[in-house]
Amino acid sequence: MSYIIEYAKSGRSRCRGPIALCHSSNHTISKDELRLGVEVENIKGVSWKHWTCVSPEVLSNMKESLSTPDIMKGWENLKEEDKEKIKEAWELGDIPNRPQPANKSPRRGKRKSSADADEIKSDEIKSDE
């Protein structure tokens, strides 16, 4: 397993990080946003996540595989401020100042508008005719 750190080349990638951590309501990684890729041999592809969606477990796995973060693929192309953020997370074992997750509460059905509610109430009224 290898790790890639880079800025998203387009806005088409989907974040595969934990839904509970993701700050994007549609899980899209925007163009030029910092992202982490995990290359997995058995799926022959890269699983991308926002850098801010990297969990403590992923950081722990990275530390087991890499001696330092600066040997990740793509490190040399990062801005200094992003290198510092990554080094800080590496030391802490978690992402500091993580953005608030987007509202992830699933909707179990279409919410009725007040007009729908009025219609239901009038339908529920039984006539004595």
Side-chain angles (χ1 to χ4, degrees):
M1 187 176 326
S2 63
Y3 298 95
I4 306 165
I5 189 77
E6 67 178 24
Y7 301 106
K9 296 171 183 157
S10 70
R12 297 185 319 240
S13 297
R14 303 252 314 149
C15 179
R16 302 291 179 211
I19 291 172
L21 296 180
C22 193
H23 65 274
S24 172
S25 60
N26 63 3
H27 307 289
T28 301
I29 302 173
S30 300
K31 184 177 185 328
D32 298 324
E33 196 170 6
L34 187 61
R35 66 182 183 174
L36 177 74
V38 181
E39 286 182 308
V40 184
E41 289 116 29
N42 63 349
I43 63 167
K44 295 184 180 176
V46 179
S47 176
W48 294 105
K49 58 189 79 188
H50 296 100
W51 171 249
T52 56
C53 293
V54 172
S55 68
E57 292 80 16
V58 170
L59 280 168
S60 177
N61 292 340
M62 290 171 66
K63 287 174 146 182
E64 288 177 16
S65 299
L66 308 170
S67 56
T68 60
D70 61 352
I71 61 174
M72 279 190 281
K73 291 180 186 176
W75 180 265
E76 63 282 352
N77 299 320
L78 299 179
K79 298 173 192 169
E80 281 304 314
E81 65 190 49
D82 289 326
K83 289 179 180 180
E84 292 304 317
K85 287 180 193 177
I86 294 165
K87 287 177 187 176
E88 182 180 11
W90 189 270
E91 293 299 317
L92 294 172
D94 200 1
I95 305 294
N97 306 314
R98 188 185 306 274
Q100 284 292 102
N103 183 1
K104 299 293 177 206
S105 58
R107 299 199 63 175
R108 290 203 162 89
K110 185 179 174 186
R111 188 176 206 163
K112 295 183 176 168
S113 70
S114 59
D116 291 338
D118 290 341
E119 185 179 314
I120 291 168
K121 287 178 187 173
S122 64
D123 287 346
E124 292 174 347
I125 299 173
K126 293 183 180 180
S127 171
D128 291 341
E129 296 178 278

